[in-house]
Amino acid sequence: MANKFFSLETNAGEQILFGDRKIIPFSQALTIQWPFFNGGFIWNRPVSILETAPDGSEQVIKIYDVTRIAQILLWSLGTIGALLIWLLFRTTTQKRSN
Amino acid sequence: MTENNTPTLATVNPAELTSAVDSVQQTMSQFLDTADVSVVYGKPVKNGETQIIPSAEVLTIMGFGAGYGSGSNIDDGEQNDGSGGGGGGGGRVLSRPVAVVIASPESVTVEPVIDVTKIALAALTAAGFMMGMLFRMTRGPRISD
C-alpha cells in the first residue's frame, strides 16, 4: 500500500503480439489519497501506444480524448464569449455616459 | 453510581480488530488496483486478421472508515463490560470510452470515440452562458427606489 498523498505515474501494460507487430499500451494514473482518512481519488486514462513494426522501427501513437478536448474548448468559448459581451456593453455604456 | 472507563487497546478483542484492519487494507488495495494499466485497456477482440483494443478513462473516488471501542461501567456495584465496532464507506467508479486501437497486419491506428451527447451539452452550456450575459447586458441598469 503506497502512503503517498499525490502521485502521477505513467504505467506500461503487457505487450500485445499480433503477427510480427508488437504493441505496448501506456496509461497515466493520477492518485490522490486523503491524508487523514482512508480512501481517495484515482483518475486513470490511456495516453499512448508504442508500436514495434516487423523491421524493428518503433512508433509512438498518442491517444487523444476528443470528447474532453471538445468540451474544454466549448466551455472556454462560452466563458470568453460572455466576457467579451460584458466588456463590449460596458465600454459602450461608458462612452454613452461621457 | 456510574463510572466510565476509557477504552484501551488491551480490552479490544484482537480477532475483531484484525478483521477490521484486514477489511480496510483489502478495500484500499482494491482501490489502488484501479490505477493499473489493465483497467484502462480492454482485452483484444479478434475480427479476422484485425485486432481491436478498446480503451477507456476510469475515475474512482471512495472513502471509508472503521472504528472499534470498548468500555465498562459499574452500576449498583455490578461491573458491565462492552465493546463494539463498525465501519462504513462509499465510492463511485466512472468509466468512459476514449478510443479504440485497431491493429491490422499492415498498420496500427487509433480511432477516437466521440460522445456527441456530451459535446452537445457542452455547446448548449456555452451558448446559454453567452445568451445569459447578453440578456443581462441588454436589459439595462436596474432602477432602484
Side-chain angles (χ1 to χ4, degrees):
Chain A
M1 194 192 305
N3 283 319
K4 286 183 281 183
F5 169 60
F6 171 90
S7 74
L8 184 67
E9 287 171 351
T10 303
N11 305 308
E14 286 179 20
Q15 74 172 19
I16 302 158
L17 289 163
F18 59 99
D20 296 333
R21 285 178 193 276
K22 277 188 281 183
I23 284 180
I24 299 173
F26 289 90
S27 75
Q28 197 173 55
L30 168 73
T31 309
I32 296 169
Q33 288 185 57
W34 315 136
F36 304 110
F37 305 100
N38 290 307
F41 166 93
I42 293 176
W43 179 34
N44 199 358
R45 65 191 184 92
V47 278
S48 63
I49 53 165
L50 175 71
E51 180 209 353
T52 311
D55 61 352
S57 62
E58 290 182 336
Q59 185 192 3
V60 176
I61 306 168
K62 289 216 166 197
I63 296 174
Y64 294 104
D65 190 344
V66 178
T67 309
R68 178 64 44 82
I69 294 167
Q71 276 182 312
I72 292 167
L73 279 174
L74 284 164
W75 289 329
S76 309
L77 187 79
T79 312
I80 293 164
L83 273 171
L84 281 174
I85 290 165
W86 178 73
L87 271 172
L88 192 77
F89 275 85
R90 197 168 161 251
T91 11
T92 319
T93 320
Q94 275 178 349
K95 273 181 187 171
R96 272 186 201 159
S97 60
N98 289 335
Chain B
M1 189 182 94
T2 305
E3 281 180 26
N4 286 318
N5 298 333
T6 312
T8 58
L9 270 178
T11 58
V12 173
N13 183 355
E16 284 184 40
L17 187 66
T18 311
S19 162
V21 169
D22 282 351
S23 171
V24 166
Q25 279 184 339
Q26 193 186 347
T27 316
M28 201 64 196
S29 173
Q30 282 174 347
F31 166 68
L32 290 168
D33 282 347
T34 55
D36 194 67
V37 72
S38 61
V39 178
V40 168
Y41 294 95
K43 283 184 179 173
V45 181
K46 264 195 172 181
N47 183 19
E49 286 192 329
T50 311
Q51 284 201 37
I52 298 160
I53 306 159
S55 67
E57 169 188 74
V58 181
L59 191 76
T60 314
I61 187 159
M62 70 174 297
F64 57 90
Y68 192 89
S70 64
S72 63
N73 67 0
I74 300 164
D75 199 5
D76 294 333
E78 192 182 337
Q79 184 167 348
N80 297 313
D81 295 323
S83 64
R92 189 156 187 195
V93 178
L94 298 164
S95 185
R96 187 172 62 82
V98 170
V100 176
V101 180
I102 301 163
S104 66
E106 292 82 34
S107 64
V108 176
T109 52
V110 175
E111 292 294 326
V113 176
I114 301 165
D115 192 339
V116 182
T117 313
K118 281 199 170 183
I119 295 172
L121 281 172
L124 280 171
T125 310
F129 199 39
M130 286 192 285
M131 292 299 284
M133 183 60 85
L134 194 69
F135 176 72
R136 195 183 155 186
M137 298 311 283
T138 49
R139 207 172 44 167
R142 282 183 186 169
I143 300 159
S144 55
D145 295 334

